Amino acid sequence: MIYTGGTIGMKHDPKDQTLKPFDFSQILGEVPELGKYALRVDSYTFDPLIDSSDVEPSLWQSLATLIKDRYEDYDGFVILHGTDTMAYSASALSFMLENLAKPVIFTGSQLPIGVPRTDGKENLISAVEIAAAKDPEGHPLVPEVCIFFDSLLLRGNRSTKVSSEEFRAFRSPGFPALAEAGISIKYNRQAILKPESWSAPLRVSTSLDTRVSILKIHPGITPQVMRHLLCGDETRAVLLETYGSGNAPSGQWFLDIVNEAAAMGKVLMNVTQCLSGSVNMGLYATGKALERAGVVSGLDSTTEGALAKLFYLMGKSDDNDLVKARLAENLKGEISK
Ligand code: ASP
């Protein structure tokens, strides 16, 4: 169990009336139920513990390296993480952990584990059970990076935080849940990815190129803002969050800037602002123009998944054409293809 921070392990500090992280032994003390499983749970605590709004790619690099170093020692890994950026972290690790054949389950909670109505206990206990679950052949049931939250096990790179208040804080609108915890935990075996090989060694790809801008298209967007984000020297790739099935304004100034960025060799990727559904740039003239400019379809990627995929692929190669080609591939179940 790897503890990075987040509400699950926070306590109310009467001094400034905010929530602050407390140490891990206290978390385990709140969950004596874990002792009822015939499992050994070891823990690793990050220092400092952070609110996940402070997550940076360096945390993903540390997590991936830690999992690699301890990979042979454990059947699975549970990562306690704040909810705010959990979907980003789970997406990133899903790409960075290559040949993963063991469960890596992120969880956290909306209420700290010490408060009476906490959702943290159930989330934590079920995440541990899932991380340890095996099929009759002795293989892990869920050899994927996932988020477990409020009874749902979701693929990490398909998940998104949908509520800041409800216990059901995460959904994966484009892909079915991998398991649901009721009286028993029901696994959706067909939906769970299997590794190409159970015995291939885990590789971690920790090199990430973060020169990505995200542009949410909106009525009233100005050419100045557009050009700054798309054509700036520091931008290697742009994630365009477009309308509906991948549409954007059809005004000439808009397309000129997209074409200018494309001519500069920038990687442009199209994801939809909608919570579910896929980009299909062939459907409307406004999407077709983006396709002609060489914008890559993100299909039904989440923004978090697409961003992590860009960081990962750009970290692996300086060749933008190669990056574009690989963006279109389904690498870790992040798109329906
Ligand atoms: N701000 C907190 C965090 O992401 C929220 C949470 O954990 O639910 O660390």
Side-chain angles (χ1 to χ4, degrees):
M1 191 177 298
I2 305 170
Y3 176 35
T4 67
T7 297
I8 190 162
M10 291 189 184
K11 251 192 183 153
H12 186 249
D13 182 344
K15 270 192 246 132
D16 62 0
Q17 305 295 324
T18 60
L19 288 170
K20 300 244 171 69
F22 61 99
D23 77 70
F24 193 77
S25 53
Q26 295 187 52
I27 294 196
L28 282 185
E30 297 286 348
V31 200
E33 294 86 347
L34 279 179
K36 296 193 175 152
Y37 287 104
L39 294 173
R40 191 183 102 215
V41 181
D42 292 341
S43 64
Y44 179 93
T45 303
F46 272 75
D47 183 18
L49 291 165
I50 55 170
D51 184 303
S52 79
S53 305
D54 285 325
V55 161
E56 288 290 337
S58 56
L59 180 96
W60 306 336
Q61 289 156 338
S62 305
L63 278 172
T65 308
L66 179 66
I67 290 171
K68 163 119 182 93
D69 291 348
R70 308 289 176 88
Y71 193 65
E72 295 308 325
D73 301 338
Y74 297 103
D75 292 330
F77 300 84
V78 172
I79 302 178
L80 303 183
H81 191 291
T83 58
D84 288 343
T85 58
M86 191 185 289
Y88 290 91
S89 295
S91 296
L93 282 228
S94 77
F95 297 112
M96 294 166 75
L97 298 172
E98 298 173 346
N99 297 334
L100 181 70
K102 292 185 178 180
V104 173
I105 315 294
F106 281 78
T107 195
S109 65
Q110 293 282 55
L111 281 175
I113 207 152
V115 309
R117 288 183 55 254
T118 185
D119 51 332
K121 267 186 162 190
E122 199 274 323
N123 287 349
L124 178 52
I125 294 167
S126 299
V128 169
E129 185 170 328
I130 290 166
K134 300 271 175 68
D135 68 15
E137 289 89 62
H139 294 309
L141 267 183
V142 191
E144 287 202 41
V145 178
C146 299
I147 289 180
F148 181 83
F149 219 90
D150 191 43
S151 80
L152 294 180
L153 182 72
L154 308 172
R155 177 167 297 153
N157 59 32
R158 292 286 197 149
S159 306
T160 195
K161 185 172 176 181
V162 293
S163 175
S164 60
E165 291 181 359
E166 290 167 18
F167 284 148
R168 184 148 293 182
F170 290 89
R171 290 287 169 93
S172 65
F175 199 74
L178 303 184
E180 185 155 7
I183 292 178
S184 62
I185 299 179
K186 288 213 172 70
Y187 292 90
N188 182 357
R189 302 282 286 268
Q190 281 125 323
I192 297 171
L193 278 180
K194 296 276 173 301
E196 272 169 32
S197 147
W198 288 106
S199 55
L202 178 77
R203 275 199 319 257
V204 298
S205 184
T206 50
S207 147
L208 301 168
D209 184 345
T210 60
R211 289 174 296 162
V212 182
S213 306
I214 300 182
L215 176 61
K216 183 166 184 161
I217 309 286
H218 58 87
I221 193 163
T222 64
Q224 293 78 5
V225 168
M226 271 275 296
R227 177 164 290 106
H228 183 74
L229 279 177
L230 265 72
C231 305
D233 284 345
E234 280 310 306
T235 299
R236 184 173 166 201
V238 185
L239 202 50
L240 295 165
E241 273 197 1
T242 57
Y243 304 131
S245 54
N247 306 312
S250 59
Q252 198 52 46
W253 69 265
F254 184 94
L255 291 174
D256 283 349
I257 297 173
V258 171
N259 282 314
E260 189 179 326
M264 293 170 86
K266 312 278 189 198
V267 179
L268 305 174
M269 187 177 186
N270 188 347
V271 293
T272 175
Q273 294 175 14
C274 295
L275 195 54
S276 66
S278 186
V279 163
N280 177 356
M281 290 187 280
L283 219 50
Y284 296 93
T286 50
K288 198 90 193 147
L290 295 180
E291 194 172 43
R292 271 198 298 272
V295 176
V296 181
S297 173
L299 297 172
D300 53 353
S301 304
T302 58
T303 295
E304 296 90 328
L307 184 75
K309 194 172 177 182
L310 278 164
F311 284 1
Y312 165 78
L313 290 177
M314 297 197 324
K316 278 182 130 20
S317 170
D318 291 330
D319 178 346
N320 283 0
D321 289 330
L322 186 71
V323 169
K324 284 190 219 165
R326 298 223 55 208
L327 277 176
E329 292 171 23
N330 178 10
L331 303 180
K332 288 292 184 87
E334 72 283 2
I335 47 176
S336 304
K337 218 180 169 191

